[in-house]
Amino acid sequence: MADVKLEKVIKRFGKVETIHGIDLDIKHGEFVVFVGPSGCGKSTLLRMIAGLEEVTEGEVYIGDNRVTNWQPSKREIAMVFQSYALYPHMSVRQNMSFGLEVTGQPKALIEQRVAEAARILKLDELFERKPKELSGGQRQRVAIGRTIVRQPEIFLFDEPLSNLDAELRVQMRIEISKLHEQLGNTMIYVTHDQVEAMTMADKIVVLRDGIIEQVGTPLELYHQPVNKFVAGFIGSPKMNFLPVTVLSANKNEIKVILHDGQQLSLNYDGRTLNEGDKLSLGIRPEHFSSGNSADISLDVNIDVAEHLGGTTYIYSDIAGQAVTIEADSDVVFERGEIKTFSFHLSRCHLFAADGRRMEAIAEVRVVEKAVA
Amino acid sequence: MDMVSIKDRGLKRPKTERSLKAGDRRFAYLILIPAMTAFMVMVFYPFVDAMSMSFFQFTIYDMEPIFIGFDNFVTVLTDPYVLASWVTTAVFVVGTTLLTMTFGLAWALLMYQDFHGRAVFRTMTLLPWILPSTVSAFVWAWMLNGKYGVVNAMLLSAGIVDENIQFLSNDVGAMVAIILTRTWISIPLFMSFFLAGLQGMDFQQIEAARLDGAGNLTIVRRLILPHLKPVFLVTGALGMIGNLQQFDIIYALTGGGPIRATTVLSIEVFKQAFENWDLGMASTIGVLWVFTLMPLVVFYLRSLFKED
Ligand SMILES: Nc1ncnc2c1ncn2[C@@H]1O[C@H](COP(=O)(O)OP(=O)(O)O)[C@@H](O)[C@H]1O
Ligand SMILES: [Mg+2]
């Protein structure tokens, strides 16, 4: 079994602390994705699991073993690098057999494993080629092939698709997911692309500046983000944040006023709030509908309309905030038009001034339509 | 008008284009003239002039050069002393180059490691390079001294020898001394080459190999050495060229002796020219020496330009 467990893991490069005490449990067979903006420490964390980077404080466990100070080769892990890191002087076959060869596996076993990996990844034709004679996607496959021949307990991927073009990226994404299903191993996958995270993960770990913001399934993160950062990071296009100001707040209810004077009363526990506090009302682009049929209506001045055929994105600016709306694809919108869009309060999230998402205390919310 | 349509209609290219190209070429030759002139006057003429001396007898006893055809070459190629110089040169060049490359690579591998004070260490490594070569020669002559040299002291206390070795006054010792000194001076340059080569390597390859279970030796043998192959070729050629030309250290340390044990070609030319005042012989040896160097230089330049 290859559970992975991190306990209060800290990483310092010299005096600079980049990972600030991370606790994490990964179950055997899970596909876990570390996602976060560039520089947040995803690679560092992954490399500490691999043993390529020293752990400054804290412990790393794999299975029942505390592996914090183990050599990488002892950990039964394999890793696919962003640069692929293929051995340039070796053929595809040699690249794949290298790991088995240097650890002294019998020839027959090596041949059988390499042939099996080549079959899974459709590499047979390329056996005698050198890495520089391969396309990006083929190199990627060899890099993966090199890891599966070793049948490791755990696969690590560090942004393996970011050097591929968009189409190939989608294709490889699906293949890696299939591979996970086929092999059933633990996979830890690093990406800055939330779409990859959402589509591949059993469990997503959202990182920011060396700390974990949230751990959860893709849908948990989508529906119950713990804060504004996660809410903005997960989902594409980004969630919109409308500024609202507290009019009054008590144990059962918060009254707020929107930029255009609409007043809303929300079923939240408002005991920590004061009159005049600035909050954010989060609503995703895909939760707008045309016209004023839903709970709250907004008049939107269209800055840009992108008609993609299947969907249309409207970009605008509301009270100094950039706003994106996913609109009907069969209506043609013109730049400069003012249109009404509306959304349901049940789709909204309320974020406190510090970014934390506030928990609603009841499903039903009352709306007062008042014009100032 | 675009090129494709011109071609399609089977039309000739417009004439103006051709004459423009010819003009370009003329201009290129024009700006080459000053450089070529300087090269001819400063380099080529003196070279040919000196080399032509190899067809003359011109010693201190001759009033002016006497043309003797290939006689000098016959003399040189049948003179056992001069032929021995070739062997001495070969021993020195091959020995020094191999030793320098080995130590240069080893040192580069060390300096490639991440350790405390690496920058300071790397800078200190350059010291032999900065010292004037005569100073280095003096330092080594001192260290190898037969009475109170530190090398002898170390060998004695380690029990490797029973009595002091008179390095500079026996044949093998003198050769060892000049090879060691020259190697010591060349290591920084070679280390820099190898280090640059190592730094051009994708470090993730090494990490991947570590995860694959490869040990240090395997990584050096299977990944690092193949990666450094072009560096080996270039440093090898460069080292041979430099060592073939080597003069000052040998002259300062042994003067070509004892007897002729370390008389390499450069020393031989110097002796013929400035001790025997036999300019004809000196230039004959010079010509043969140049022809020895030439293949290496051609190889070096070709591998340099092949890169891009
Ligand atoms: N070898 C290193 N030395 C110093 N700082 C480093 C080193 N590697 C990474 N860092 C720093 O650690 C932080 C996290 O880096 P990284 O894990 O590569 O981020 P990510 O993979 O999420 O983009 C960055 O601020 C980066 O500058
Ligand atoms: Mg990274």
Side-chain angles (χ1 to χ4, degrees), chain A residues 141 166-176:
Chain A
R141 259 181 247 270
E167 194 182 337
L168 210 49
R169 207 149 54 208
V170 174
Q171 195 184 326
M172 287 305 295
R173 201 165 82 196
I174 294 167
E175 283 190 35
I176 293 176

Side-chain angles (χ1 to χ4, degrees), chain B residues 25-48:
Chain B
R25 214 171 300 133
R26 269 203 300 275
F27 183 63
Y29 287 135
L30 199 69
I31 57 173
L32 258 180
I33 285 174
M36 287 306 281
T37 313
F39 174 78
M40 286 297 184
V41 173
M42 312 290 290
V43 181
F44 195 68
Y45 174 72
F47 176 76
V48 171

Side-chain angles (χ1 to χ4, degrees), chain A residues 47 52 72-73 77 79 81 83 85-90 98-99 101-103 146 150, chain B residues 202-215 218-219 222-223 226-228:
Chain A
R47 291 165 56 80
L52 294 172
S73 56
I77 44 176
M79 180 157 168
F81 294 86
S83 69
L86 298 179
Y87 311 131
H89 307 283
M90 301 183 202
F98 182 80
E101 233 176 82
V102 298
T103 50
R146 189 169 68 179
R150 287 179 39 224
Chain B
D202 175 10
F203 191 71
Q204 294 193 331
Q205 278 170 33
I206 296 178
E207 293 185 332
R210 287 219 185 289
L211 286 168
D212 264 349
T218 312
I219 288 175
R222 299 279 303 268
L223 295 178
H227 171 78
L228 290 179

Side-chain angles (χ1 to χ4, degrees), chain B residues 159-235:
Chain B
I160 297 172
V161 296
D162 304 328
E163 56 182 78
N164 279 340
I165 303 175
Q166 304 301 316
F167 278 104
L168 296 177
S169 49
N170 81 53
D171 289 4
V172 177
M175 181 56 85
V176 169
I178 60 173
I179 289 180
L180 278 183
T181 308
R182 175 65 180 162
T183 300
W184 184 75
I185 290 172
S186 317
I187 285 176
L189 181 66
F190 278 59
M191 183 213 66
S192 310
F193 271 111
F194 284 119
L195 197 56
L198 284 173
Q199 281 165 340
M201 191 167 174
D202 175 10
F203 191 71
Q204 294 193 331
Q205 278 170 33
I206 296 178
E207 293 185 332
R210 287 219 185 289
L211 286 168
D212 264 349
N216 288 336
L217 263 182
T218 312
I219 288 175
V220 170
R221 217 165 41 81
R222 299 279 303 268
L223 295 178
I224 293 181
L225 292 187
H227 171 78
L228 290 179
K229 198 175 141 203
V231 185
F232 272 101
L233 293 179
V234 169
T235 49

Side-chain angles (χ1 to χ4, degrees), chain B residues 240-256:
Chain B
M240 304 257 269
I241 292 167
N243 291 327
L244 266 169
Q245 294 172 327
Q246 183 51 46
F247 175 79
D248 45 8
I249 293 160
I250 304 174
Y251 194 73
L253 263 180
T254 67

Side-chain angles (χ1 to χ4, degrees), chain A residues 17-308:
Chain A
E17 188 169 302
T18 51
I19 301 284
H20 311 290
I22 280 191
D23 290 294
L24 184 64
D25 270 310
I26 295 169
K27 297 261 168 317
H28 177 78
E30 264 184 328
F31 197 117
V32 175
V33 175
F34 294 173
V35 70
S38 182
C40 68
K42 308 177 295 286
S43 298
T44 306
L45 201 56
L46 194 74
R47 291 165 56 80
M48 287 196 287
I49 295 172
L52 294 172
E53 206 76 72
E54 227 171 280
V55 177
T56 314
E57 274 175 43
E59 303 290 350
V60 178
Y61 297 87
I62 295 178
D64 298 326
N65 299 310
R66 190 172 71 184
V67 302
T68 315
N69 296 314
W70 285 23
Q71 288 297 312
S73 56
K74 299 276 182 313
R75 299 189 183 197
E76 305 228 20
I77 44 176
M79 180 157 168
V80 176
F81 294 86
Q82 180 174 354
S83 69
Y84 312 141
L86 298 179
Y87 311 131
H89 307 283
M90 301 183 202
S91 65
V92 167
R93 181 208 300 278
Q94 289 166 328
N95 261 283
M96 293 207 284
S97 61
F98 182 80
L100 298 173
E101 233 176 82
V102 298
T103 50
Q105 305 300 321
K107 252 208 158 96
L109 178 89
I110 297 178
E111 268 179 27
Q112 180 231 321
R113 292 260 190 94
V114 170
E116 171 74 5
R119 190 186 55 76
I120 295 176
L121 295 164
K122 303 180 194 75
L123 284 169
D124 310 71
E125 317 260 289
L126 309 170
F127 253 0
E128 301 311 327
R129 294 220 196 148
K130 294 273 170 65
K132 66 167 182 289
E133 299 160 342
L134 301 175
S135 70
Q138 290 168 334
R139 282 179 208 180
Q140 179 63 69
R141 259 181 247 270
V142 178
I144 294 173
R146 189 169 68 179
T147 61
I148 54 182
V149 293
R150 287 179 39 224
Q151 304 191 343
E153 293 279 348
I154 301 165
F155 285 93
L156 307 179
F157 297 88
D158 192 354
E159 311 225 9
L161 305 185
S162 45
N163 291 341
L164 301 180
D165 61 50
E167 194 182 337
L168 210 49
R169 207 149 54 208
V170 174
Q171 195 184 326
M172 287 305 295
R173 201 165 82 196
I174 294 167
E175 283 190 35
I176 293 176
S177 293
K178 270 194 202 154
L179 199 65
H180 177 241
E181 235 162 74
Q182 235 171 318
L183 303 175
N185 291 36
T186 309
M187 290 191 176
I188 307 177
Y189 186 105
V190 162
T191 180
H192 64 267
D193 179 356
Q194 62 88 25
V195 177
E196 275 176 31
M198 294 296 279
T199 51
M200 300 171 85
D202 295 324
K203 185 155 99 185
I204 296 179
V205 177
V206 183
L207 291 161
R208 175 166 62 157
D209 293 342
I211 58 162
I212 293 182
E213 292 283 349
Q214 191 170 5
V215 179
T217 66
L219 290 184
E220 275 167 8
L221 298 193
Y222 182 85
H223 291 298
Q224 290 125 35
V226 294
N227 57 28
K228 230 172 134 173
F229 175 77
V230 176
F233 198 79
I234 300 293
S236 170
K238 262 166 74 86
M239 183 185 282
N240 300 300
F241 299 104
L242 304 175
V244 295
T245 308
V246 175
L247 290 176
S248 67
N250 61 38
K251 188 165 167 292
N252 303 312
E253 186 190 61
I254 305 173
K255 278 199 165 147
V256 298
I257 180 165
L258 268 170
H259 63 283
D260 60 0
Q262 291 188 69
Q263 291 184 15
L264 314 176
S265 104
L266 308 165
N267 288 97
Y268 283 79
D269 182 347
R271 278 177 295 179
T272 55
L273 299 178
N274 298 309
E275 189 188 335
D277 281 357
K278 307 277 184 207
L279 306 181
S280 295
L281 195 66
I283 176 76
R284 295 190 183 278
E286 56 269 37
H287 293 149
F288 281 90
S289 47
S290 296
N292 56 7
S293 55
D295 296 349
I296 301 169
S297 303
L298 295 175
D299 290 331
V300 175
N301 190 343
I302 298 174
D303 287 340
V304 175
E306 289 179 347
H307 298 93
L308 303 182

